[in-house]
Amino acid sequence: MRKYPEIHTVKKEVYKKIVNAFVPPKVYVSLEQNNGEEAECIVEKGASVKEGEKLADGVFSPIPGTVEDFELKVMPNGNVNKTVRIALKGQFSYLGKKINEVDYTAFSSDSLIRHIEEYGVLNTFVTDRPVLLAPQLKEVLSHKKRLLVVRLVDDDPSRLLDAVLFSVYRKEIIRGINIAVRAIDAEGVILVCDEKFERTEDFNEIKVPVFEVKLQPKDFPAALAELVCQNVRKNAKDSLFKKVSKYDLFMDSSSVLELYRSVSFDMPVIDRYVLVDGDCIPSTGVLKFAIGTPFETIAEHCGGFVKQPASIIVNGMVTGFSAGSLNVPLTKYVKSIRFNSAVKTVSQTQIQCIRCGNCRRVCPVSLSPDIIVHHLIGGAACPADYIASSDFCVECGLCNSVCPSRIPLLQTIREYKSKFSAKNKAAGIKHFSSEKTLEEEGIDEKR
């Protein structure tokens, strides 16, 4: 497994525990539901809304207040979405209130999925491509045999959110795992955890078999789905776990905790745990912010800027992306925000490939991303089998991280895979994806 030790978190004053951020005077709530479609707003300008009141399908007001207007805003991922601007006013329904926990065992699988769909719970296991959890549950439930894979560590070495949440909310996450098991009637649970992980008595609550995949703190990209599957099939002795595939349900600590909170307290998704760091702010830590809080307000809560940020990195230095301004609002898929000064910011100017070979050296599946991309964008002719080997790509992003020419290697390969994979398979062109590997090993992915 490749190691990537060059990425480090910024060491400075750290909040001793996870804290609630102060309530923002205004929020900008996106109506986009991370599937490319904009939900239809059901509130009008000037309307008074309560905390947790429905604004659109899967979208809820994070604060009580007045709908001031509707604005187009650039989101953290660069999309331009319609937002509902709400000014704080009135009493809270959830914040500061004692809410009794609901017995999730009273819910059937169907009722759990309906609840999750209604309240807009998101799955952020694939950090740069979050999806609504309810459709995933329905798809997984359609398979004959099902496993639940929960990543308790972070997939990006520069981000510590999932690991911190598990260390603080262990009991809640275990209950969230049980809710997910019940929702898909899972036969077993695979925990992707740190090498120091010890299974405590709390895990006895999980009534199905459990298998552990222990990773070194700096192993990357070992926590990605395809590599987790390879690890389990290689090391598990139980035939149940050897059948794990990408068609099973993969979740992270953050999503499991969100699932627990939504089901157990009958709450819509109105806030978000976020790791905030960087050399531009005096304090760093994991805080809980209301959805729609502008990034500038988030920085103010951490003491304001001691340096002006030259870049704002969302969701990690390896797997994340750069936000365009401080005016972008917090969305349900943001896990971390790093405010970097010019000293910590790498130039994003793209130049011609210098044939350094860095991308080949770090590729965990021994591809040559530079050569593949060169041919994909119109270079010299190349055998179809060679280009098709891009199906081996696990989309970890390491090639992008080390490319001094700033060539979008991952994005180019991903675009090829999504655009041409089905077409090539229909034409009979051999691909070397994990699907073929599973077939050769006698594993029925659809089970």
Side-chain angles (χ1 to χ4, degrees), residues 188-289:
V189 173
I190 296 171
L191 301 176
V192 182
C193 47
D194 184 84
E195 63 174 345
K196 297 180 181 179
F197 171 83
E198 294 183 4
R199 198 187 303 184
T200 59
E201 291 184 0
D202 299 335
F203 283 90
N204 293 335
E205 291 184 26
I206 303 175
K207 301 305 181 184
V208 296
V210 176
F211 179 77
E212 299 166 14
V213 176
K214 293 189 176 182
L215 304 179
Q216 298 286 335
K218 291 298 181 181
D219 279 0
F220 184 81
L224 300 185
E226 291 189 28
L227 297 180
V228 168
C229 289
Q230 293 176 21
N231 188 315
V232 174
R233 291 196 293 268
K234 179 180 178 181
N235 296 299
K237 296 181 180 179
D238 192 328
S239 60
L240 168 67
F241 295 113
K242 283 185 175 294
K243 294 180 179 180
V244 66
S245 80
K246 65 179 182 181
Y247 290 99
D248 289 307
L249 179 61
F250 290 76
M251 298 184 69
D252 56 357
S253 296
S254 181
S255 302
V256 172
L257 181 60
E258 201 68 72
L259 172 63
Y260 162 77
R261 295 175 64 216
S262 178
V263 171
S264 297
F265 298 105
D266 194 26
M267 284 181 58
V269 179
I270 56 176
D271 50 33
R272 182 75 184 166
Y273 290 99
V274 183
L275 170 66
V276 187
D277 68 353
D279 66 331
C280 293
I281 53 176
S283 301
T284 187
V286 176
L287 302 96
K288 186 168 69 174
F289 290 97

Side-chain angles (χ1 to χ4, degrees), residues 73-109:
K73 283 274 189 181
V74 178
M75 296 294 108
N77 62 5
N79 293 342
V80 178
N81 297 338
K82 184 179 180 180
T83 66
V84 184
R85 189 178 80 212
I86 302 173
L88 178 65
K89 185 179 181 181
Q91 297 183 337
F92 287 87
S93 305
Y94 299 102
L95 186 62
K97 309 289 185 180
K98 182 178 180 180
I99 306 174
N100 294 324
E101 188 169 346
V102 177
D103 181 10
Y104 67 86
T105 61
F107 290 91
S108 65
S109 174

Side-chain angles (χ1 to χ4, degrees), residues 154-166:
D154 293 87
D155 56 330
D156 189 318
S158 70
R159 189 184 65 239
L160 301 174
L161 179 70
D162 288 313
V164 170
L165 289 179
F166 176 64

Side-chain angles (χ1 to χ4, degrees), residues 164-190:
V164 170
L165 289 179
F166 176 64
S167 68
V168 176
Y169 297 115
R170 176 185 288 250
K171 291 183 178 180
E172 291 83 354
I173 287 175
I174 291 173
R175 291 175 186 171
I177 291 173
N178 276 327
I179 293 172
V181 167
R182 190 174 185 84
I184 64 170
D185 192 20
E187 294 191 67
V189 173
I190 296 171

